[in-house]
Coordinates of all heavy atoms in Angstrom, one line a residue:
L78 N 54.6 -42.2 -15.7 CA 54.8 -43.4 -16.5 C 56.2 -43.8 -16.4 O 57.1 -43.0 -16.5 CB 54.5 -43.0 -18.0 CG 54.6 -44.1 -19.0 CD1 53.5 -45.2 -18.9 CD2 54.6 -43.5 -20.4
R79 N 56.5 -45.2 -16.2 CA 57.8 -45.7 -16.1 C 57.9 -47.0 -16.9 O 57.0 -47.6 -17.2 CB 58.1 -46.1 -14.6 CG 58.3 -45.0 -13.6 CD 58.8 -45.6 -12.3 NE 59.0 -44.6 -11.3 CZ 58.0 -44.2 -10.5 NH1 56.8 -44.7 -10.6 NH2 58.2 -43.2 -9.7
G80 N 59.2 -47.3 -17.1 CA 59.5 -48.6 -17.7 C 59.4 -48.6 -19.2 O 59.5 -47.6 -19.8
G81 N 59.2 -49.8 -19.8 CA 59.2 -49.9 -21.2 C 60.6 -49.4 -21.7 O 61.6 -49.8 -21.2
P82 N 60.6 -48.6 -22.8 CA 61.9 -48.1 -23.3 C 62.4 -46.9 -22.5 O 63.5 -46.4 -22.9 CB 61.5 -47.7 -24.7 CG 60.0 -47.2 -24.6 CD 59.4 -48.1 -23.5
L83 N 61.7 -46.5 -21.5 CA 62.0 -45.2 -20.8 C 63.0 -45.4 -19.7 O 63.1 -46.4 -19.0 CB 60.7 -44.6 -20.2 CG 59.6 -44.4 -21.2 CD1 58.3 -43.9 -20.4 CD2 59.9 -43.4 -22.3
S84 N 63.8 -44.3 -19.5 CA 64.7 -44.2 -18.3 C 64.0 -43.2 -17.3 O 63.8 -42.1 -17.8 CB 66.1 -43.8 -18.6 OG 66.7 -44.6 -19.5
G85 N 63.7 -43.6 -16.1 CA 63.2 -42.7 -15.2 C 61.7 -42.5 -15.3 O 61.1 -43.2 -16.2
A86 N 61.1 -41.6 -14.5 CA 59.6 -41.4 -14.5 C 59.3 -40.2 -15.4 O 60.0 -39.2 -15.3 CB 59.2 -41.2 -13.1
Y87 N 58.3 -40.3 -16.2 CA 57.7 -39.2 -17.0 C 56.4 -38.8 -16.5 O 55.5 -39.6 -16.2 CB 57.6 -39.7 -18.5 CG 58.9 -39.8 -19.3 CD1 59.9 -40.6 -19.0 CD2 59.0 -39.0 -20.5 CE1 61.1 -40.7 -19.7 CE2 60.2 -39.1 -21.3 CZ 61.2 -39.9 -20.9 OH 62.3 -40.0 -21.6
R88 N 56.2 -37.5 -16.4 CA 54.9 -36.9 -15.8 C 53.8 -36.8 -16.8 O 54.0 -36.1 -17.8 CB 55.2 -35.5 -15.2 CG 55.8 -35.6 -13.9 CD 55.9 -34.1 -13.4 NE 57.0 -34.1 -12.4 CZ 57.5 -33.0 -11.9 NH1 57.1 -31.8 -12.4 NH2 58.5 -33.0 -11.1
L89 N 52.6 -37.2 -16.4 CA 51.4 -37.0 -17.3 C 51.0 -35.6 -17.3 O 50.9 -34.9 -16.3 CB 50.3 -37.9 -16.7 CG 49.0 -37.8 -17.5 CD1 49.1 -38.3 -18.9 CD2 47.8 -38.5 -16.8
R90 N 50.9 -35.0 -18.5 CA 50.5 -33.6 -18.7 C 49.1 -33.5 -19.2 O 48.3 -32.7 -18.7 CB 51.5 -32.9 -19.6 CG 51.2 -31.5 -19.9 CD 52.2 -30.8 -20.7 NE 52.0 -29.4 -21.1 CZ 52.3 -28.4 -20.3 NH1 52.9 -28.7 -19.1 NH2 52.1 -27.2 -20.6
Q91 N 48.8 -34.3 -20.2 CA 47.5 -34.1 -20.8 C 47.2 -35.4 -21.7 O 48.1 -36.2 -22.0 CB 47.4 -32.9 -21.8 CG 48.5 -32.9 -22.8 CD 48.0 -32.9 -24.3 OE1 47.1 -33.6 -24.6 NE2 48.7 -32.1 -25.1
L92 N 45.9 -35.6 -21.9 CA 45.5 -36.6 -23.0 C 44.6 -35.9 -23.9 O 43.9 -34.9 -23.6 CB 44.9 -37.8 -22.3 CG 43.5 -37.8 -21.6 CD1 42.4 -37.7 -22.6 CD2 43.4 -39.0 -20.7
H93 N 44.6 -36.4 -25.2 CA 43.7 -35.9 -26.2 C 43.5 -37.0 -27.2 O 44.1 -38.1 -27.2 CB 44.4 -34.7 -26.8 CG 45.6 -35.0 -27.5 ND1 46.9 -35.0 -26.9 CD2 45.9 -35.5 -28.8 CE1 47.8 -35.4 -27.8 NE2 47.2 -35.7 -28.9
L94 N 42.6 -36.7 -28.2 CA 42.3 -37.7 -29.2 C 42.4 -37.1 -30.6 O 42.3 -35.9 -30.8 CB 40.8 -38.2 -29.0 CG 40.6 -38.9 -27.7 CD1 39.6 -38.2 -26.8 CD2 40.1 -40.3 -28.0

Side-chain angles (χ1 to χ4, degrees):
L78 179 72
R79 289 191 182 84
L83 307 174
S84 302
Y87 283 61
R88 280 185 203 167
L89 179 64
R90 180 176 178 84
Q91 54 120 318
L92 68 78
H93 64 269
L94 296 116

